C-alpha cells in the first residue's frame, strides 16, 4: 500500500502541476478553508484525546492558520529565482539560484499537538511544491481520524494523503524512498527514522526534544515571571517539547518564586485543577505511570495530586531533587517542574553545558549583560528572554533543535527551505570567449595568479 501511494504521487509530481506557484497558493487556501469548515470536529477530537479545551486548542493547535497566512503572504517572493553576484573572471555571465520542490515527502507527526504538528509542516511542503504523505500519531486516534478526514476531503490522494495506523504502518512507510522526511517525536524513535532514511540517502528533519532549562535571575518582575513560567510549563499539561523542563533559580529569589507560582496556579486552574476545563490530561496510562514515578525523586512543594482513572496529574512543583535523579536526567514531558537553586550564574551555565543541547532555553532577567552572557555561553535550538514557549508562534523564526534535540528547522520560510532544493545555475553567452582559461598555459601563469589572488 505505501509503495503504490508513493508511486502514484511520484507520477503526479512528475507532471509538473505542483511547480506552478498559483497551484500551490490555491492548495494552501483550500487547506485553510477545510480547517475552518471542520473546526467543530477538530475541537471535539482534541477534547477526546487530550481533554483539551476550546481556548487552548485555538491557542496551540488552530494557530496553524497563521502559518498558512504567512506562507500565502510570502510564497511568491520565496519561489523567485535569487540573483547572485557573478565574479569578474566569470563575466560575461550571470548567476541564479532556483528553489525547486524535492518531490514526495513524508511527514510523521506527534501525539502531543496532534493537529498542529501535522498541518504546520504540510504548509511548508505545499508551499515548496511537493506531494506529501502524512502519518499521524495513533496515540491520539480521534485527531488522527480528523486529520485523515480533512485531507481526504480537500486533496487528491495523488497529491496529499494520510496513512493511519500504528508502528507497522510507520515501518512500512520508512522502507520506501522519499525525497525528504520530517519527523516530530522522541529521540529514540528519531534515531530509527534516521537509520531507515540513511538506507535511501533520504534527508531528514528531526524535531525532537530534551530538557529545556529555564534560568531565573534575582533581578526579575516576580509576578510576570511566575505567570509566564507556569503558563509555558503547564500548557497541554506539560506535554510540550519546548516546555520549561526544569528551573535554575538564583537562591535569593527561590522561595518568593515558588510562592508566586503557587498563587498563579490557583489563578489559572482554581483550587482543584481536576475540575478545571482548561487543564489537559495525560495522553495514556503508560505515560501517566511514568510521570507518577517521578514524584518520588524529591519533595513536592505544590500539587502532586493524581487520579489514574482520569489520567489526571495536578500541576506539580518539586524541590530538593538530586541532579542524578531520573526527574533531572530524562525529559519530563508532563506537569512536573523541578526547581534547582544556584548561587552564581557560572554554576547554572555549567550545569546546562554538562547536558545534551536542549531544544529551548529560557532566561528571566532584567540584566541585558546576563541575558547576553547566557546566550553566548550556552547552545540550544532556540531561546526566549523573559517568556516561555511563545517563540514557537513566530513564523519568521526558524524552529528546530541542535545536537540531541533535533536536526533541521521549519516554520515560515524555514519550512519552504526545508522542502526545497536550491539549484545553482550559471548562464554564459556565446558572444565572448576569453581563451585565458584554456591550455596551453605557457605565458599565462602570472595573469592566472593575479586572477585567483595568489
Amino acid at each position: 500500500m505505501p509503495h503504490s501511494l508513493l508511486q502514484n504521487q511520484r507520477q503526479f509530481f512528475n507532471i509538473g502541476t505542483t511547480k506552478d506557484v498559483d497551484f500551490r497558493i490555491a492548495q494552501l487556501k483550500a487547506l485553510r478553508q477545510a480547517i475552518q469548515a471542520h473546526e467543530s470536529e477538530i475541537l471535539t477530537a482534541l477534547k477526546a484525546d487530550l481533554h483539551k479545551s476550546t481556548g487552548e486548542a485555538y491557542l496551540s493547535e488552530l494557530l496553524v492558520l497563521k502559518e498558512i497566512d504567512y506562507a500565502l503572504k510570502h510564497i511568491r517572493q520565496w519561489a523567485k529565482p535569487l540573483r547572485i553576484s557573478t565574479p569578474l573572471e566569470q563575466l560575461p555571465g550571470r548567476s541564479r539560484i532556483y528553489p525547486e520542490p524535492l518531490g514526495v515527502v513524508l511527514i510523521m507527526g506527534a501525539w502531543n499537538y496532534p493537529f498542529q504538528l501535522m498541518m504546520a509542516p504540510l504548509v511548508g511542503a505545499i508551499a515548496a511544491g511537493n506531494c506529501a504523505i502524512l502519518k499521524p500519531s495513533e496515540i491520539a486516534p480521534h485527531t488522527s481520524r480528523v486529520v485523515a478526514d480533512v485531507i481526504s476531503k480537500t486533496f487528491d490522494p495523488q497529491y496529499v494523503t494520510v496513512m493511519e495506523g500504528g508502528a507497522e504502518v510507520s515501518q512500512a512507510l520508512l522502507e520506501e524512498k522519499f525525497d525528504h522526511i520530517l519527523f516530530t517525536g522522541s529521540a529514540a524513535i528519531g534515531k530509527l527514522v534516521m537509520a531507515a532514511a540513511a538506507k535511501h540517502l533520504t534527508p531528514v528533519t528531526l524535531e525532537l526534544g530534551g530538557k529545556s532549562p529555564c534560568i531565573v535571575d534575582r533581578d526579575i518582575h516576580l509576578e510576570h515571571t511566575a505567570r509566564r513560567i507556569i503558563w509555558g510549563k503547564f500548557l497541554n499539561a506539560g506535554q510540550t517539547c519546548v516546555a520549561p523542563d526544569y528551573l535554575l533559580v538564583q537562591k535569593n529569589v527561590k522561595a518568593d518564586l515558588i510562592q508566586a507560582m503557587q498563587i498563579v496556579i490557583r489563578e489559572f486552574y482554581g483550587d482543584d485543577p481536576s475540575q478545571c476545563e482548561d487543564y489537559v490530561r495525560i495522553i495514556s496510562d503508560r505515560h501517566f505511570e511514568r510521570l507518577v514515578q517521578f514524584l518520588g525523586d524529591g519533595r513536592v512543594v505544590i500539587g502532586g495530586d493524581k487520579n489514574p482513572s482520569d489520567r489526571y496529574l495536578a500541576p506539580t512543583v518539586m524541590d530538593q531533587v538530586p541532579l542524578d535523579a531520573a526527574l533531572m536526567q530524562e525529559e519530563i514531558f508532563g506537569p512536573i517542574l523541578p526547581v534547582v537553586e544556584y548561587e552564581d550564574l557560572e554554576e547554572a551555565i555549567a550545569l546546562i553545558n554538562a547536558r545534551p543541547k536542549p531544544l529551548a532555553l529560557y532566561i528571566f532577567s532584567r540584566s541585558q549583560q546576563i541575558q547576553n552572557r547566557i546566550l553566548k555561553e550556552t547552545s540550544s535550538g532556540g531561546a526566549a528572554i523573559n517568556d516561555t514557549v511563545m517563540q514557537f508562534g513566530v513564523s519568521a523564526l526558524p524552529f528546530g533543535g541542535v545536537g540531541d534535540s533535533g536536526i533541521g528547522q521549519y516554520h515560515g520560510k524555514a519550512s519552504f527551505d526545508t522542502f526545497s532544493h536550491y539549484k545553482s545555475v550559471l548562464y554564459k553567452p556565446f558572444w565572448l570567449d576569453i581563451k585565458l582559461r584554456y591550455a596551453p598555459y605557457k605565458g599565462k601563469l602570472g595573469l592566472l595568479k593575479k586572477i585567483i589572488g595568489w
Side-chain angles (χ1 to χ4, degrees), residues 23 34 56 63 78 118 121 174 196 201 207 238 257 261 288 296 303 313 324-325 347 356 367 386 424-425:
F23 174 82
E56 186 160 323
L63 188 69
W78 295 343
M118 292 303 319
L174 290 172
L201 295 179
E207 298 299 342
L257 180 64
M261 290 194 298
F288 178 84
L313 181 57
D324 60 355
E347 297 175 46
S367 168
N386 297 329
S424 300
V425 179

Side-chain angles (χ1 to χ4, degrees), residues 14 16 92 100 107 157 185 193 242 290 334 346 389 397 432 442:
N14 289 336
E100 61 180 23
I107 299 171
V193 171
V242 290
R290 171 182 166 275
E346 188 175 342
V389 179
L397 286 177
L432 181 64
K442 186 176 181 179

Side-chain angles (χ1 to χ4, degrees), residues 1 61 73 89 98 193 197 228 238 261 316 380 408 423 425:
M1 182 66 168
E61 303 270 7
K73 182 178 179 181
E89 67 271 14
Y98 291 87
V193 171
R228 294 171 189 181
M261 290 194 298
T316 299
S380 59
K423 181 165 63 181
V425 179

